[in-house]
Amino acid sequence: YSHGRCRAFVADLTEPGSLEKTVPAGSIDVVTCIFVFSAVPPEKFSIAIDNIRSVLRPNGLILFRDYCRDDAAQRRFKRDRQLGESLFV
C-alpha cells in the first residue's frame, strides 16, 4: 500500500535480500518494527538486521517496540502462541 510518502508492505525479514525486492537499497529514512523481533528466531536476528540496514539511508533510523518479559502485552498471549521462552507466533 502506498499513499504519498509512506509505503507499507509485508516482507520476510529472515530471508536474505527480502526488503530489496520491494524497496531500493539505501532509500529509506525510517523503518518501524512493532512486535517484529519477538517473532524472529534469535538465530535469524542478524539476517533481519542486515535486511533493514540494506534499505536505510546513512543515518537512517530503526524504531522498534517489542515485548518486555512479563509486560501486559506479553501476558495476553495464550500458551499455544508461545514457541519458545521469548518467541511468539
Side-chain angles (χ1 to χ4, degrees), residues 20-37:
E20 289 183 22
K21 292 176 183 176
T22 305
V23 179
S27 66
I28 300 295
D29 293 312
V30 179
V31 172
T32 59
C33 296
I34 301 172
F35 300 117
V36 170
F37 293 109

Side-chain angles (χ1 to χ4, degrees), residues 1 7-13 18-19 22:
Y1 173 75
R7 182 176 183 188
F9 62 94
V10 176
D12 182 352
L13 284 179
S18 63
L19 296 182
T22 305

Side-chain angles (χ1 to χ4, degrees), residues 2-60:
S2 181
H3 183 71
R5 295 173 38 179
C6 184
R7 182 176 183 188
F9 62 94
V10 176
D12 182 352
L13 284 179
T14 65
E15 179 187 324
S18 63
L19 296 182
E20 289 183 22
K21 292 176 183 176
T22 305
V23 179
S27 66
I28 300 295
D29 293 312
V30 179
V31 172
T32 59
C33 296
I34 301 172
F35 300 117
V36 170
F37 293 109
S38 60
V40 173
E43 64 272 12
K44 294 189 176 189
F45 279 169
S46 62
I47 296 170
I49 295 299
D50 287 345
N51 277 327
I52 293 168
R53 286 178 48 203
S54 74
V55 298
L56 280 175
R57 289 187 172 132
N59 299 315

Side-chain angles (χ1 to χ4, degrees), residues 58-88:
N59 299 315
L61 299 174
I62 301 172
L63 306 174
F64 69 94
R65 179 355 180 157
D66 225 305
Y67 301 104
C68 177
R69 190 174 305 266
D70 293 325
D71 72 5
Q74 188 184 55
R75 284 184 290 213
R76 285 193 299 258
F77 275 117
K78 294 184 171 94
R79 282 282 168 207
D80 66 338
R81 304 298 290 175
Q82 189 169 0
L83 301 174
E85 183 179 339
S86 294
L87 186 63
F88 297 87

